[in-house]
Amino acid sequence: MDIPKTYDPQQAEERHYARWEAQHCFAPKINRDPHAPVYSIVIPPPNVTGSLHMGHALQHTIMDVLTRYHRMRGYRTLWLPGEDHAGISTQIQVEKQLRKEGLTRHDLGREKFVERVWQWREEYGGQIIKQMRREGASVDWSRRRFTMDENLSRAVREFFVRMYEKGLIYHGEGMINWCPKDQTALSDLEVEKEAQSGQLYYLQYPVKGGGRRVTVATTRPETMLGDTAVAVNPNDERYRDLVGATIELPLTNREIPLIADEYVDPEFGTGAVKITPAHDPNDYEVGLRHNLPQVEVIDAHARMTEDAGAEFAGLDRYEAREKVVAKFAELGLLEKAVNYEFSISKCGRCRTVIEPLVSTQWFLKQAELGRSALELIKEKHEPRFVPEVPYEKVFTNWLENLHDWTLSRQLWWGHRIPAWYDEAGNVYVARNEDEARAQAGTNQLTQDPDVLDTWFSSALWPISTLGWPDATQDLKTFYPTSVLVTGRDIIFLWVSRMMMTGLEFVGEKAFDDVFITGTIFDKHGQRMSKSKGNGVDPLDVFDKYGVDATRLVLAQMESTDTRWNDTQVEAYRNFANKIWNAARFCLLNSEGATVGQGFEGEPATWALHERWIMSRLNQTAQKVGDAIENYRFHEAVQTIYHFFWDDFCDWYIELSKTDVTAADATTERAAARSRVLTVLEQALRLLHPFMPFITEELWLQLPGVGVSQLHPAYRDAEPTVMLAAYPQARAELIDERAEAEMQSVIELISRVRSIRSELGIKPGEEIELLVGPARNGQSGVFTPGVMAQVMRMTRASKFSVKEAMTPDVVPRASARAALAGGVEVAVPLGGLIDFAQERERLRREQEKLHTESERLAAQLSNQNFVERAPAEKVTELRQRVADIAQRTHALEQMQEALTAE
RNA sequence: AGGCUCGUAGCUCAGGGGUAGAGCACUACCUUGACACGGUAGGGGUCUGCGGUUCAAAUCCGCACGAGCCUACCA
């Protein structure tokens, strides 16, 4: 058999994914058990314009681990893939494309433009979804969904109409966030606050009659052109006499009132605030309270309007700012300008500074819709957030403070608002135009030109992908979904809204659990971003280290923010190679062997290392299954890693080598080989959810694997490790005594190796071992079989068990060590030994024990400890003290023996 | 302005009331027939600081300092 010494991930990855997909292993229907429990996940739909980044890879890894684990446990498992239509982003992409042809969307017209967008999606869209094959994501491709699919669009209209009928959606005027670049309204959540250092300008406004001036402070002087009042706090003594006065607004020929409103904080600035109801959310509210006119001085392109005055009309808002400030300075009305830190709102997509504008839009009263979600989280703690702290609280706080959601977007790509207007401007909201006509009693209707926020359709994702508004079998089977895995940035934007729609329309929560992943930063702790160019491309990492290794790193991050570091991936690449070579050893020595055999009969009849590895394996299975089910992926990964490398490779394979590599093809050799293969096969199953490719690559090569290893639910399927039963711990094979005994064997071997190393005995040089005293129970572990193993592992040519380790049996020129449980070991060294050096070595050993013993003694002499600590704790410490005393005594004797001439 | 998270070995991170852990890096030795992407043996930490609770604190509670995140209409 020819197996390369180094694992090549790439060639395995493609082959197996294609095969799994062809055999429909990812679809729930592969499960033939009609009573199988259900496990379902819907993917957070990535933006159709995007490509895979580390955040996706992280989320997908966790979803895939959960999916593969539950599938192997026999669940009817669905992981549903798809993407959203990303209204603004997609439209921008396509417009960019058109611009290269010298066209705008208006040249094409709406219908042709939308056609172009669909074309674009076919050609360039859904990159991430395609890249998921590379990740090994076991998604059901037959159920791939897109928010613009016909049924999902129908769900959107249904959502809209029902909310309108309930009075939760309304059409009206409000202060909205407007992006002057993208030319659309945005919801609060699509706006990002950014710290800004700028200036606070103190402007003086003359009071009509009497020559007084009122000073107002502002960061946006250009908006003064649209001021319709100056406000002060009604209790502010400084201005009390001026309330009701008239201000002559500079640079305009308008006169505005000085009003009193509680909103004004007398402590801040000058205590007098300019009020621009058309361009500031707070001023808008003040304006409504005082019936102030709204003077629009900035237009949708963030340029000054005619109403700003002839001098300013047409200027950009920032040019206007400079000019206003200059004019005030000229007039002697600029009191001062001071440096000032404040925050500005930017478009989450294009980073353009938002312009607050008064506009007529569609809104959803989220507060009412969110009430049942709020009750559920507060009363039943559902869904269960992982980690619970701090996300349950964050989520609850959000639901308690819901504002109306601006739904309409001035775009062409998206779900068009199902509202029609007649010639008189009356609005009819309906599921389709025919219904609207019926309502209106006329055919002369025009549909609202706007589309809905992309998140409006995403809000329905768990139910619409499963068939809602129809009561489909999928909806019945897979809803509520088992878990939602996502990043913390969209808890409000998305998670909360899915909870709301699920409860509203299906009457059940959208998911049992919500797992929030951490954020991956670059190695300097900076957030990865395209603009900074510091992103690590997961595909590059896959190429360099393999998908399995990358997944292992991602899985163990759990919810912790982490700086990306290639060395971790390299470590797991090395682990993959270790697995490969362990399997290589097993396969190169597999003649006559069969997986699943070799462990016949009573465990009591097995050799110590067999009982031990089976105990370790079952402990591991227990711990790993438990860890995965509780989202403790780090623990799961560490546990398997440790089992595979330390227990299986370093000890079990090494201890089995003599039997496995025996020259003669005896039944004993075949049995030993089968046992090693059996443990390997179980380990591969344990690893599979994390490392799907290498486990499949190796598993298929093991002699004797087939349908009998598959979970009973998949009996009709082709053999594959992904449908094998996930190992369940067998309690009867967990053997504490075997583990303790093995521990003393390991200790003996380690101590002898230590002696070799510390005394500089050449690796090739053979030594002799004396172990005793034999009357002590512990040394009974050293059966002839174990002795042979110890000799092999320490390169010893002789191993004698002695009744007593007295000077007459142990040569003076020996290196010695005192082990736990009273066992002593001596390595006779003849003339090679340096007596002084060996004495020093023993003395250091004794010193270590002494330090520990001192600490224990202090603890045990504390009355309070003995009385109040749990009895078992006290007993444990006493035993340790006794053991240390015994070893210390042994060390003393050894030193004496060395000294005796 | 509130709220939250984090501070553990040189680096990246686990852990979490009762002998400080991993990977990488480091030191020495080893081309031993699975693996040098390896093996064996080692070195390295008053778990940010100060108080408190406790028989016992890296772990729980305050406070301070440092890093970061989120919410909020303060001109």
Side-chain angles (χ1 to χ4, degrees):
Chain A
M1 209 181 302
D2 187 33
I3 305 171
K5 285 188 173 190
T6 307
Y7 171 54
D8 173 14
Q10 297 221 23
Q11 59 88 20
E13 288 166 11
E14 269 175 56
R15 252 182 315 123
H16 296 303
Y17 197 88
R19 216 186 77 252
W20 290 328
E21 198 178 338
Q23 288 169 201
H24 305 105
C25 293
F26 307 148
K29 68 171 181 228
I30 192 122
N31 189 312
R32 296 297 161 84
D33 174 8
H35 307 295
V38 170
Y39 191 82
S40 62
I41 299 180
V42 292
I43 197 169
N47 177 336
V48 66
T49 64
S51 60
L52 194 73
H53 64 240
M54 274 299 171
H56 296 120
L58 168 60
Q59 293 177 17
H60 296 168
T61 295
I62 286 169
M63 284 185 261
D64 199 46
V65 166
L66 290 167
T67 301
R68 285 180 184 271
Y69 170 80
H70 285 93
R71 191 183 290 114
M72 289 176 79
R73 274 271 147 96
Y75 283 70
R76 179 177 308 280
T77 306
L78 169 64
W79 179 14
L80 187 147
E83 65 244 81
D84 75 38
H85 63 279
I88 299 178
S89 306
T90 312
Q91 178 158 326
I92 289 173
Q93 290 283 335
V94 177
E95 286 186 299
K96 214 181 277 172
Q97 205 182 41
L98 286 177
R99 211 172 309 135
K100 284 186 195 144
E101 301 164 26
L103 296 170
T104 69
R105 71 184 149 116
H106 300 283
D107 295 329
L108 265 75
R110 185 164 189 149
E111 206 172 310
K112 282 269 186 291
F113 178 76
V114 170
E115 264 175 43
R116 273 296 287 260
V117 180
W118 277 105
Q119 252 177 46
W120 181 91
R121 150 163 157 95
E122 289 310 314
E123 234 171 300
Y124 306 103
Q127 285 302 315
I128 296 173
I129 293 290
K130 289 171 196 156
Q131 288 161 335
M132 287 180 71
R133 286 184 165 82
R134 184 79 203 279
E135 298 177 293
S138 61
V139 293
D140 179 5
W141 291 108
S142 71
R143 282 179 171 84
R144 178 177 171 184
R145 298 286 184 262
F146 182 47
T147 45
M148 288 295 282
D149 286 348
E150 176 41 40
N151 192 66
L152 277 75
S153 302
R154 188 162 67 96
V156 164
R157 293 192 294 272
E158 188 67 27
F159 179 17
F160 191 94
V161 172
R162 288 203 201 175
M163 289 297 99
Y164 182 77
E165 285 168 352
K166 258 192 143 172
L168 297 186
I169 282 181
Y170 65 93
H171 191 221
E173 191 174 79
M175 174 63 70
I176 50 101
N177 301 299
W178 180 267
C179 176
K181 182 154 183 285
D182 295 340
Q183 287 294 299
T184 181
L186 298 171
S187 73
D188 296 345
L189 292 171
E190 292 164 290
V191 169
E192 284 173 19
K193 292 280 165 61
E194 202 172 277
Q196 176 89 0
S197 49
Q199 301 213 287
L200 185 62
Y201 300 91
Y202 287 74
L203 308 180
Q204 296 178 341
Y205 289 180
V207 179
K208 189 176 183 182
R212 276 181 71 178
R213 288 173 181 179
V214 175
T215 305
V216 295
T218 180
T219 55
R220 299 196 61 193
E222 70 280 13
T223 62
M224 62 76 50
L225 298 167
D227 283 359
T228 55
V230 170
V232 298
N233 191 287
N235 302 318
D236 194 334
E237 295 296 340
R238 294 172 295 176
Y239 299 108
R240 184 163 281 173
D241 60 314
L242 282 176
V243 173
T246 299
I247 305 286
E248 291 172 332
L249 189 63
L251 312 187
T252 72
N253 48 21
R254 289 190 289 115
E255 294 187 345
I256 59 175
L258 194 142
I259 59 170
D261 194 287
E262 295 281 354
Y263 150 73
V264 180
D265 175 5
E267 304 295 316
F268 188 87
T270 61
V273 187
K274 57 188 279 305
I275 301 294
T276 323
H279 298 289
D280 180 279
N282 299 311
D283 294 4
Y284 176 76
E285 297 295 329
V286 175
L288 291 183
R289 280 198 290 276
H290 296 270
N291 250 318
L292 300 173
Q294 296 169 358
V295 177
E296 286 178 35
V297 292
I298 301 172
D299 70 11
H301 294 277
R303 280 196 293 264
M304 307 312 285
T305 65
E306 295 293 327
D307 287 348
E311 264 186 289
F312 297 96
L315 289 184
D316 170 81
R317 54 187 163 175
Y318 298 112
E319 293 167 359
R321 176 174 305 172
E322 281 177 37
K323 193 159 182 181
V324 166
V325 172
K327 288 275 174 190
F328 266 75
E330 245 171 64
L331 295 171
L333 295 175
L334 179 64
E335 189 171 305
K336 60 180 173 178
V338 299
N339 290 335
Y340 188 61
E341 298 279 331
F342 57 104
S343 72
I344 47 164
S345 300
K346 289 189 168 181
C347 169
R349 231 156 264 295
C350 68
R351 316 245 96 212
T352 302
V353 176
I354 289 300
E355 191 56 51
L357 292 179
V358 177
S359 161
T360 300
Q361 302 284 344
W362 291 90
F363 296 93
L364 172 63
K365 295 177 186 167
Q366 285 188 115
E368 274 183 64
L369 188 59
R371 204 172 301 145
S372 36
L374 181 60
E375 280 167 19
L376 193 65
I377 187 84
K378 283 186 109 164
E379 286 165 19
K380 293 189 173 173
H381 301 280
E382 287 178 1
R384 171 187 164 217
F385 277 85
V386 181
E388 186 182 319
V389 178
Y391 297 113
E392 181 173 311
K393 198 169 166 187
V394 164
F395 187 72
T396 310
N397 287 349
W398 175 256
L399 288 174
E400 282 169 342
N401 294 294
L402 289 172
H403 303 299
D404 289 0
W405 173 10
T406 311
L407 297 176
S408 30
R409 297 288 176 275
Q410 286 63 49
L411 306 171
W412 285 357
W413 174 240
H415 300 100
R416 193 145 170 196
I417 292 174
W420 285 262
Y421 306 93
D422 64 18
E423 284 167 337
N426 296 309
V427 65
Y428 305 96
V429 169
R431 287 167 181 80
N432 54 56
E433 188 159 2
D434 286 342
E435 266 186 37
R437 284 175 178 161
Q439 277 183 39
T442 168
N443 286 348
Q444 297 305 109
L445 295 179
T446 326
Q447 187 170 4
D448 193 299
D450 291 349
V451 300
L452 288 158
D453 183 359
T454 304
W455 294 103
F456 190 80
S457 51
S458 302
L460 297 167
W461 187 251
I463 59 176
S464 62
T465 53
L466 294 173
W468 188 85
D470 296 329
T472 59
Q473 187 59 46
D474 268 10
L475 195 58
K476 219 177 296 173
T477 307
F478 298 110
Y479 191 89
T481 61
S482 307
V483 62
L484 180 81
V485 177
T486 190
R488 69 169 88 89
D489 49 333
I490 52 178
I491 294 177
F492 309 138
L493 206 57
W494 190 51
V495 179
S496 65
R497 288 168 179 168
M498 288 189 289
M499 283 302 294
M500 294 179 201
T501 62
L503 288 165
E504 174 75 13
F505 297 126
V506 186
E508 280 186 89
K509 61 180 181 227
F511 8 77
D512 297 332
D513 300 342
V514 176
F515 182 86
I516 304 291
T517 61
T519 307
I520 303 175
F521 300 99
D522 73 5
K523 63 180 165 197
H524 305 294
Q526 297 287 309
R527 192 174 282 278
M528 291 185 183
S529 74
K530 296 137 276 172
S531 48
K532 270 185 254 168
N534 63 343
V536 177
D537 186 344
L539 298 176
D540 290 344
V541 183
F542 293 162
D543 287 344
K544 200 164 167 198
Y545 300 105
V547 173
D548 287 331
T550 314
R551 286 171 58 116
L552 221 45
V553 172
L554 293 169
Q556 70 167 11
M557 284 180 187
E558 291 182 13
S559 298
T560 314
D561 291 351
T562 310
R563 298 180 182 206
W564 185 262
N565 194 326
D566 267 9
T567 63
Q568 294 169 63
V569 200
E570 195 180 330
Y572 286 136
R573 190 267 320 262
N574 295 349
F575 179 50
N577 198 240
K578 188 73 179 177
I579 296 168
W580 178 260
N581 277 290
R584 183 167 180 268
F585 170 77
C586 297
L587 289 168
L588 290 172
N589 295 286
S590 63
E591 197 186 303
T594 306
V595 161
Q597 294 182 3
F599 283 102
E600 293 80 12
E602 280 299 305
T605 65
W606 305 345
L608 173 59
H609 69 298
E610 317 283 11
R611 278 179 280 136
W612 172 77
I613 196 68
M614 287 311 269
S615 183
R616 295 297 310 136
L617 174 65
N618 283 280
Q619 297 257 31
T620 301
Q622 176 68 51
K623 210 167 157 192
V624 171
D626 197 60
I628 294 175
E629 286 182 18
N630 290 291
Y631 306 102
R632 296 195 309 264
F633 303 109
H634 187 275
E635 184 185 323
V637 168
Q638 291 304 312
T639 303
I640 312 180
Y641 182 96
H642 173 256
F643 171 76
F644 200 95
W645 201 311
D646 301 349
D647 295 342
F648 182 63
C649 294
D650 289 352
W651 293 104
Y652 185 63
I653 288 185
E654 292 303 329
L655 293 174
S656 301
K657 260 183 183 165
T658 310
D659 294 337
V660 166
T661 59
D664 297 330
T666 59
T667 52
E668 284 75 22
R669 190 185 77 172
R673 291 177 165 192
S674 292
R675 286 192 292 266
V676 172
L677 276 174
T678 299
V679 176
L680 172 67
E681 194 265 345
Q682 292 282 316
L684 292 176
R685 293 197 216 180
L686 284 172
L687 275 162
H688 181 260
F690 297 94
M691 309 181 86
F693 295 112
I694 191 173
T695 51
E696 179 74 327
E697 175 72 9
L698 294 171
W699 191 85
L700 289 171
Q701 294 182 49
L702 303 183
V705 294
V707 287
S708 60
Q709 271 78 28
L710 299 191
H711 189 281
Y714 310 115
R715 275 291 148 82
D716 299 338
E718 293 291 312
T720 162
V721 69
M722 70 169 280
L723 299 177
Y726 203 75
Q728 295 265 26
R730 289 169 58 192
E732 74 276 14
L733 290 178
I734 293 175
D735 184 342
E736 304 283 354
R737 185 158 166 220
E739 297 211 21
E741 290 184 354
M742 187 67 194
Q743 205 44 54
S744 43
V745 174
I746 289 174
E747 191 192 6
L748 174 63
I749 293 170
S750 302
R751 296 304 295 275
V752 173
R753 283 171 169 173
S754 250
I755 287 173
R756 291 191 73 118
S757 171
E758 283 176 48
L759 297 186
I761 300 169
K762 297 245 158 35
E765 202 167 326
E766 297 213 311
I767 53 169
E768 190 182 327
L769 303 181
L770 302 175
V771 173
R775 62 173 178 280
N776 191 296
Q778 288 295 327
S779 62
V781 169
F782 301 111
T783 61
V786 171
M787 284 162 69
Q789 288 172 333
V790 172
M791 285 162 69
R792 192 189 132 78
M793 304 281 278
T794 56
R795 285 219 149 205
S797 54
K798 224 171 139 190
F799 186 127
S800 335
V801 177
K802 300 294 181 190
E803 289 292 329
M805 299 294 272
T806 45
D808 52 318
V809 287
V810 181
R812 180 181 161 237
S814 295
R816 301 174 65 173
L819 279 52
V823 175
E824 291 175 39
V825 60
V827 181
L829 291 169
L832 290 171
I833 197 162
D834 176 334
F835 286 90
Q837 192 189 350
E838 173 65 2
R839 261 197 305 274
E840 173 60 17
R841 204 179 62 79
L842 293 173
R843 198 192 55 75
R844 266 188 282 125
E845 188 65 26
Q846 203 177 354
E847 206 174 86
K848 267 193 240 168
L849 290 175
H850 183 69
T851 314
E852 197 188 343
S853 147
E854 294 266 273
R855 211 193 55 243
L856 293 172
Q859 220 174 333
L860 282 165
S861 65
N862 182 337
Q863 262 318 97
N864 281 324
F865 171 73
V866 180
E867 279 165 23
R868 302 182 147 179
E872 41 194 289
K873 192 86 240 165
V874 178
T875 315
E876 190 192 311
L877 292 203
R878 287 196 170 127
Q879 270 167 3
R880 251 160 58 199
V881 169
D883 187 59
I884 289 171
Q886 191 172 31
R887 290 165 72 174
T888 306
H889 181 67
L891 284 167
E892 272 163 16
Q893 288 190 329
M894 290 173 197
Q895 287 172 77
E896 266 172 42
L898 275 173
T899 317
E901 289 298 330

